[in-house]
Amino acid sequence: MNNTSKLKQALHDIIFEAETPAGRAFDIALIVCILLSILVITLESVEEIGMQYGKILYGIEWVFTIIFSIEYCLRIWTVTKKRTYALSFFGIVDLLSILPTYLSLFMTGASSLLIIRSLRLIRIFRILKLARFVGEGNNLAMALKSARHKITIFLLTIVTTIIITGTLMYLIEGRENGFTSIPKSVYWAVVTMTTVGYGDIAPQTAVGQTLASLIMILGYAIIAVPTGIVTAELTFHRKKDVSTNVCKNCLKEGHDVDAVFCKYCSAKLD
Amino acid sequence: MNNTSKLKQALHDIIFEAETPAGRAFDIALIVCILLSILVITLESVEEIGMQYGKILYGIEWVFTIIFSIEYCLRIWTVTKKRTYALSFFGIVDLLSILPTYLSLFMTGASSLLIIRSLRLIRIFRILKLARFVGEGNNLAMALKSARHKITIFLLTIVTTIIITGTLMYLIEGRENGFTSIPKSVYWAVVTMTTVGYGDIAPQTAVGQTLASLIMILGYAIIAVPTGIVTAELTFHRKKDVSTNVCKNCLKEGHDVDAVFCKYCSAKLD
Amino acid sequence: MNNTSKLKQALHDIIFEAETPAGRAFDIALIVCILLSILVITLESVEEIGMQYGKILYGIEWVFTIIFSIEYCLRIWTVTKKRTYALSFFGIVDLLSILPTYLSLFMTGASSLLIIRSLRLIRIFRILKLARFVGEGNNLAMALKSARHKITIFLLTIVTTIIITGTLMYLIEGRENGFTSIPKSVYWAVVTMTTVGYGDIAPQTAVGQTLASLIMILGYAIIAVPTGIVTAELTFHRKKDVSTNVCKNCLKEGHDVDAVFCKYCSAKLD
Amino acid sequence: MNNTSKLKQALHDIIFEAETPAGRAFDIALIVCILLSILVITLESVEEIGMQYGKILYGIEWVFTIIFSIEYCLRIWTVTKKRTYALSFFGIVDLLSILPTYLSLFMTGASSLLIIRSLRLIRIFRILKLARFVGEGNNLAMALKSARHKITIFLLTIVTTIIITGTLMYLIEGRENGFTSIPKSVYWAVVTMTTVGYGDIAPQTAVGQTLASLIMILGYAIIAVPTGIVTAELTFHRKKDVSTNVCKNCLKEGHDVDAVFCKYCSAKLD
């Protein structure tokens, strides 16, 4: 193993691993850079700040882009399966997080680049993926996955209720009360049923207010259903933490997974 | 079995079953048609679009109506118990989804037809009923059914609190602050307790704002109760994994998946 | 037992019991009367209706008052422990539901009588108490009772957060942005944290909006805590429905409370 | 033991313990004083009241400050580890609750003192800590602690969704519809996703309203996730009824209530 491949290996460990002190420091530095670059994007959009400090912020943005570019090149260089990485979800996000600034040299006023830049935030999830969050995240994902049929039925019921209510309210309230079209009425029904309640459109007639009241109480109470579904799944998966171990000495079960000795007779467990 | 009855059987399988590739393709095509026809209804109501493309949309609506009419006729033709189907919930929904367009030839400006047309959306649930969602849906329905007494008590408490609060606020705030009548005050109480909060009516006096604050905290915290009820039921059913097996001897259901004998009459289960 | 005491007994059974057909009919008639009388109170407060039909509604109100008065007298007459009934919670509610109309003969414009009249609604709960809801309601009450310490801590945390946030926002936003006093700021904090969000007062400064965002996310996520508390209790109590019965024949357990035969070996259970 | 140390011991028991009648009376008196002093701060900020009764309220504030000062001195005097107490969280809160009034003699118009004064409210938690709430609180804290990784992932997902949605809405709606900068759009996204919905900023374009609808339904349904997480933990801990017993041999805790031997080292538990 020559010096280059040693360096390559060391860099790979720092960039892709999180267990070593250097790897951890790298991850934290990267999170700070991502958050700061998001802050810069955000501040640039504020008119007064953009006017006064626009050039400085543009400069800082270039600094972060160069840092992220170096990081991207190192990732490509140190990874074994270069193609797989480049075409993976996080590989594309990594590329997208640096492209907009380079493109801004050729294109002007391309506001769509702004949204691509904000996708940088997703990179934080990659860093978490390395750390101990992976098990917990999997657990959550598994619970949501096994509840997906129930959640689909729930969402379909909600959406059907929203569309039918929206159509009804369009007929009841009519254009003169702000319900100018079915899409707008459906938008109102979403705002109401999810208990957001902007108040930019609100029913004015007695019949409309009565129907709205029913929808509100329904929307308020029905949240219990997805909550119940997700909770039942999570409780089910959480419960598995009780070991199925039976004590060989007293034949009692119900031991915790971390138990070393039987809690009833002090015999050693397997 | 002659050719007609062969065709009848084949069509029946395509229309009413979901397991075969043809049946699945038919279901997906139907869902797409339903969603597109709902989109047409929705777009028609937008003033600018209705003005400009009204005739085209009316034409598309006729295309879908004819498709749904053919489908309805085929359903009637292929099904064995024609009367039972025609009078079943989904049979009526199927009929209602084609009637309005035909009626629009004789009646003009009948906006009530609009809401009937939007009921087409319910037909999607029938398609889901055929597929693997049926077990999950039953599970949900069973949990909600066994929690219905608790949910009734909860809703009654909410409604009583809303009406008494509404009456109180009418006295406290009075007509000059927007609480012009008890129904309006009750409407405000619904908007507030369900945490929708339009802000079209809002308490102005110190006493009113204090009472409103109490109602908000109550409404915010009390949602824990129906959630707890539904979750406890779902957790209970999730754990038991109740079988859909029906005892051949006493016709009772609700047996556990590991049951070998009927728990009510001791007959052997399949 | 003479005729009077026979009548007394029969009336007592009709009024206080719910199991007999007559008792059930009486309960339903009473619920209808209560709901109609509440509707009358509600309609009276609507200006246009009150103007036009005020006298008719006043007449109907007298009809209901006389019905409720007769019912109250019969209750007093048929009950054995008259004093206990008259001073019980529902005895007082029964009296309060008839008093206001009589008082309105002597007092004029006493709007406080309105709220007393709306308390009639509480009588519906008494009727439910008789029926099969009692067990379910007790179950709920028991769960809430055993969670009361946790709920107290939760509410105290919420209230402390609301008051401190309210004070902070009063300093940050100040009187010129609608936060005219600490009570008003605290009212805003309640409206925000409970996710009601009227929008009658809303932060205008960047610092205020940042703090408001934090409070919103906190209020949005923290609802998980009381929900979890209540659910954990309800799940705990719900679980007891699995019988502790052990089959004498095969020694297996986990039978449902309604099981008559062992589901594993078909032996009769105790 | 001389008289002074007897008095010291008696005072210590009254101030720091809650089991004796005197200790309980002291705690209740203290809670009343804290709540009244918060009420005074609150009332002072109301312009009309502050104008008219400002001097009286300032006097009452001094009375409470002197009471709290005496209490603070007695705490310092009676406690054994004076330094530890003075630097503990509640020791600092105790000091902060009296300082502002004294400082107001030298500084004028220091509104930041107001917020420090409102921190007095936190002292109520100390009093609860002494009472039977401690077990319940610990139980809650333990459940939240073991759910912290899942909650972190949830909050990170929410915040990322909010920031990306905010940026998107800034591009879609633009400055003319109230979305004047990314921070403001992000603030709108927080208000919407948490279902607060002030309505001070609301989408006007069809695309914006569609995106807003998606975010609302997401925000409405996703609350099921933290609720499920917290509930699963609380159910888990509720079921196990974890004992507060600490093993004398290995000092580990978390034993079940029915445990006879330590599950880690097999030593006998009390």
Side-chain angles (χ1 to χ4, degrees), chain D residues 203-214:
Chain D
Q204 305 297 325
T205 66
V207 183
Q209 290 182 344
T210 309
L211 181 62
S213 297
L214 291 177

Side-chain angles (χ1 to χ4, degrees), chain B residues 182 192 220 233 256 258 260 263, chain C residues 45 198 219 256 260 263-264:
Chain B
I182 292 182
T192 300
Y220 173 70
E233 291 301 328
D256 297 344
D258 62 346
V260 183
K263 63 182 178 180
Chain C
S45 75
Y198 283 140
D256 298 344
V260 183
K263 63 183 179 180
Y264 300 110

Side-chain angles (χ1 to χ4, degrees), chain B residues 149-150 156 171 175 182-183 188 192 195-198 220 227-228 231 233 240 256 258 260-261 263-264 266, chain C residues 42 45 47 111 125 128 133 136 194-198 219 222-223 227 231 238 256 258 260-261 263-264 266:
Chain B
H149 286 315
K150 285 207 196 77
L156 197 70
L171 297 179
R175 298 195 173 173
I182 292 182
W188 167 86
T192 300
T195 76
V196 172
Y198 283 140
Y220 173 70
T227 306
T231 305
E233 291 301 328
K240 282 187 59 190
D256 297 344
D258 62 346
V260 183
F261 295 97
K263 63 182 178 180
Y264 301 110
S266 82
Chain C
T42 299
S45 75
E47 210 165 27
S111 61
F125 285 93
L128 290 179
F133 290 85
E136 305 280 348
T194 57
T195 76
V196 172
Y198 283 140
I222 220 172
I223 189 66
T227 306
T231 306
R238 182 72 177 81
D256 298 344
D258 62 345
V260 183
F261 295 97
K263 63 183 179 180
Y264 300 110
S266 82

Side-chain angles (χ1 to χ4, degrees), chain B residues 21-223:
Chain B
R24 185 159 303 213
F26 176 82
D27 284 351
I28 291 166
L30 199 58
I31 290 180
V32 170
C33 284
I34 292 168
L35 291 180
L36 283 178
S37 77
I38 292 289
L39 191 70
V40 167
I41 296 168
T42 299
L43 287 178
E44 244 182 318
S45 75
V46 183
E47 210 165 28
E48 306 91 71
I49 298 174
M51 290 282 198
Q52 219 173 336
Y53 304 103
K55 285 190 179 170
I56 302 169
L57 292 172
Y58 187 67
I60 298 172
E61 171 60 25
W62 267 106
V63 172
F64 283 122
T65 302
I66 288 163
I67 292 173
F68 292 148
S69 303
I70 294 169
E71 184 221 338
Y72 183 70
C73 293
L74 288 177
R75 273 181 199 274
I76 289 279
W77 185 53
T78 59
V79 87
T80 327
K81 297 182 181 175
K82 290 182 210 310
R83 208 193 155 85
T84 315
Y85 163 70
L87 296 174
S88 72
F89 175 71
F90 279 115
I92 291 165
V93 169
D94 287 347
L95 186 63
L96 283 177
S97 74
I98 51 171
L99 270 190
T101 318
Y102 293 113
L103 285 175
S104 71
L105 292 177
F106 312 107
M107 298 155 76
T108 45
S111 61
S112 62
L113 297 175
L114 200 64
I115 184 70
I116 296 173
R117 284 210 271 158
S118 78
L119 293 178
R120 267 175 207 174
L121 214 58
I122 296 171
R123 302 179 72 209
I124 290 177
F125 285 93
R126 193 242 314 272
I127 298 163
L128 290 179
K129 261 189 90 170
L130 294 167
R132 89 203 82 162
F133 289 84
V134 66
E136 305 280 349
N138 277 356
N139 208 329
L140 250 179
M142 209 163 70
L144 290 178
K145 200 183 161 191
S146 64
R148 70 186 183 286
H149 286 315
K150 285 207 196 77
I151 290 173
T152 306
I153 296 176
F154 170 74
L155 282 180
L156 197 70
T157 311
I158 290 286
V159 169
T160 306
T161 312
I162 282 172
I163 291 176
I164 293 179
T165 310
T167 312
L168 257 175
M169 286 302 277
Y170 170 67
L171 297 179
I172 292 170
E173 290 284 327
R175 298 195 173 173
E176 61 278 17
N177 289 332
F179 293 76
T180 51
S181 67
I182 292 182
K184 197 138 207 170
S185 293
V186 168
Y187 166 71
W188 167 86
V190 173
V191 170
T192 300
M193 238 198 134
T194 58
T195 76
V196 172
Y198 283 140
D200 50 350
I201 318 165
Q204 305 297 326
T205 65
V207 182
Q209 291 182 343
T210 308
L211 180 62
S213 298
L214 292 177
I215 287 302
M216 283 171 207
I217 292 174
L218 184 67
Y220 173 70
I222 220 172
I223 188 66

Side-chain angles (χ1 to χ4, degrees), chain C:
Chain C
M1 201 150 115
N2 59 10
N3 275 343
T4 315
S5 62
K6 258 187 196 160
L7 176 71
K8 209 173 179 175
Q9 184 60 37
L11 276 170
H12 181 273
D13 287 359
I14 290 169
I15 296 173
F16 285 93
E17 304 293 329
E19 300 305 294
T20 59
R24 186 159 301 214
F26 177 81
D27 284 351
I28 290 166
L30 198 58
I31 290 181
V32 170
C33 284
I34 292 169
L35 291 180
L36 283 178
S37 77
I38 292 289
L39 191 71
V40 167
I41 296 168
T42 299
L43 288 177
E44 244 180 320
S45 75
V46 183
E47 210 165 27
E48 307 91 71
I49 298 174
M51 290 281 198
Q52 219 173 336
Y53 305 103
K55 285 190 179 170
I56 303 170
L57 292 172
Y58 188 65
I60 298 172
E61 170 59 25
W62 267 106
V63 172
F64 284 122
T65 303
I66 289 163
I67 292 172
F68 293 148
S69 303
I70 294 169
E71 183 221 339
Y72 184 71
C73 293
L74 288 177
R75 273 181 199 275
I76 289 279
W77 185 54
T78 59
V79 87
T80 327
K81 298 182 180 175
K82 292 183 208 309
R83 208 192 154 85
T84 315
Y85 162 70
L87 295 174
S88 72
F89 175 70
F90 280 114
I92 291 165
V93 169
D94 287 347
L95 186 62
L96 283 178
S97 73
I98 51 171
L99 270 189
T101 319
Y102 293 112
L103 284 176
S104 69
L105 292 177
F106 313 108
M107 299 156 73
T108 45
S111 61
S112 62
L113 297 175
L114 200 64
I115 185 69
I116 296 172
R117 285 210 271 156
S118 78
L119 292 178
R120 268 174 206 173
L121 214 59
I122 297 171
R123 302 178 72 209
I124 289 177
F125 285 93
R126 192 242 315 270
I127 298 163
L128 290 179
K129 262 188 89 170
L130 294 166
R132 90 203 81 165
F133 290 85
V134 66
E136 305 280 348
N138 278 357
N139 208 330
L140 249 179
M142 206 163 71
L144 289 178
K145 200 182 162 191
S146 64
R148 69 187 183 286
H149 286 316
K150 286 206 194 76
I151 290 173
T152 306
I153 296 176
F154 170 75
L155 282 180
L156 198 70
T157 312
I158 290 286
V159 168
T160 306
T161 312
I162 282 171
I163 291 176
I164 292 179
T165 311
T167 313
L168 257 175
M169 286 303 277
Y170 171 67
L171 296 179
I172 292 170
E173 290 283 328
R175 298 195 172 171
E176 62 277 16
N177 288 333
F179 292 76
T180 51
S181 66
I182 293 183
K184 197 138 207 171
S185 294
V186 167
Y187 166 71
W188 167 86
V190 172
V191 170
T192 299
M193 239 198 132
T194 57
T195 76
V196 172
Y198 283 140
D200 51 351
I201 318 166
Q204 305 296 327
T205 65
V207 182
Q209 291 182 343
T210 308
L211 180 61
S213 298
L214 292 177
I215 287 303
M216 283 171 208
I217 292 174
L218 185 66
Y220 173 71
I222 220 172
I223 189 66
V225 174
T227 306
I229 295 168
V230 174
T231 306
E233 291 301 329
L234 279 170
T235 309
F236 186 75
H237 290 291
R238 182 72 177 81
K239 216 173 297 148
K240 290 182 177 158
D241 277 13
V242 173
S243 156
T244 55
N245 239 342
V246 179
C247 172
K248 279 178 184 168
N249 190 40
C250 69
L251 299 177
K252 284 190 178 160
E253 54 187 329
H255 302 290
D256 298 344
V257 280
D258 62 345
V260 183
F261 295 97
C262 172
K263 63 183 179 180
Y264 300 110
C265 74
S266 82
K268 203 160 197 303
L269 297 172
D270 291 331

